[in-house]
Amino acid sequence: EAQVTQNPRYLITVTGKKLTVTCSQNMNHEYMSWYRQDPGLGLRQIYYSMNVEVTDKGDVPEGYKVSRKEKRNFPLILESPSPNQTSLYFCASRGGLAGVETQYFGPGTRLLVL
Amino acid sequence: RKEVEQDPGPFNVPEGATVAFNCTYSNSASQSFFWYRQDCRKEPKLLMSVYSSGNEDGRFTAQLNRASQYISLLIRDSKLSDSATYLCVALSLNNFNKFYFGSGTKLNVKP
């Protein structure tokens, strides 16, 4: 089954404690993204990767890092989380014909930073 | 200004009603358009793509008006299970084929 998985699904942490949210896809997609979703603001792209070792900033990259060492994995790293990073995070991969790609989202990670 | 704008709703409709959502996009370079459905705090899932000629999938009809830069979604014979948030999405050829998401329109279908 084609899918995007994320872990953990729920996380409560404290300010400053480094954390990593993992993301993996089994569709051999080159393009992967991380989004955060906040009420009234919709989905905002944090970082994206067009292929292995190719990553770039999205709209809201401050406070986040990513890496893409393998095609299937795209972890999101919060080196020093702050309360304003409390949000619902989605990893996504995309594939299909150019111009009509479909994005497949992971189930989401709810993060609370105290 | 947001790239894609939608009325947040909520739209409260009775079962069996017909309901329509519109969204507008600001980037004329946007090439492809989609409607995604998102159930409460779950991941968005593709509902349908939107083609210039308009397209229909069962009770759902999507249309694109490039001249006015808006997209519409029509749901006929609403079901309780249609209750969700509907996200309007534009794919732009600029900026490495970026997806732009609207904030979503919430639909509540009531018995």
Side-chain angles (χ1 to χ4, degrees), chain A residues 12-83:
Chain A
I12 301 173
T13 190
V14 295
T15 298
K17 186 176 181 182
K18 181 180 178 179
L19 66 92
T20 299
V21 185
T22 63
C23 172
S24 183
Q25 51 98 1
N26 63 0
M27 294 169 278
N28 202 36
H29 289 161
E30 293 179 347
Y31 193 115
M32 297 183 73
S33 298
W34 274 103
Y35 294 88
R36 61 178 290 174
Q37 187 174 37
D38 303 287
L41 297 177
L43 283 159
R44 294 180 292 168
Q45 191 180 52
I46 303 170
Y47 267 93
Y48 65 94
S49 169
M50 298 182 76
N51 214 326
V52 175
E53 301 292 1
V54 181
T55 64
D56 208 347
K57 297 176 181 178
D59 299 315
V60 287
E62 294 77 21
Y64 304 95
K65 285 175 57 176
V66 292
S67 69
R68 188 89 182 275
K69 292 182 169 45
E70 307 164 278
K71 200 172 192 178
R72 64 183 291 125
N73 296 323
F74 189 42
L76 179 70
I77 302 155
L78 285 72
E79 294 270 3
S80 183
S82 62

Side-chain angles (χ1 to χ4, degrees), chain B residues 13-111:
Chain B
V13 304
E15 268 187 294
T18 295
V19 61
F21 311 136
N22 290 332
C23 92
T24 59
Y25 61 94
S26 60
N27 187 348
S28 59
S30 294
Q31 192 71 14
S32 303
F33 305 90
F34 310 88
W35 284 100
Y36 277 70
R37 171 191 169 128
Q38 185 175 23
D39 292 293
C40 188
R41 305 304 265 176
K42 293 194 174 182
E43 73 271 26
K45 292 184 178 178
L46 178 66
L47 177 65
M48 59 196 304
S49 302
V50 186
Y51 303 120
S52 295
S53 56
N55 49 300
E56 189 173 309
D57 183 2
R59 297 181 294 107
F60 298 85
T61 300
Q63 291 207 303
L64 165 64
N65 185 319
R66 287 192 185 273
S68 302
Q69 294 188 195
Y70 80 79
I71 305 113
S72 65
L73 177 68
L74 182 78
I75 305 175
R76 290 180 298 279
D77 189 21
S78 300
K79 311 290 185 193
L80 294 176
S81 57
D82 293 334
S83 296
T85 296
Y86 291 83
L87 306 177
C88 178
V89 184
L91 175 60
S92 173
L93 295 183
N94 295 342
N95 200 12
F96 302 104
N97 287 358
K98 184 173 178 177
F99 278 83
Y100 293 96
F101 288 82
S103 299
T105 298
K106 187 167 175 57
L107 172 65
N108 296 318
V109 181
K110 300 185 181 301

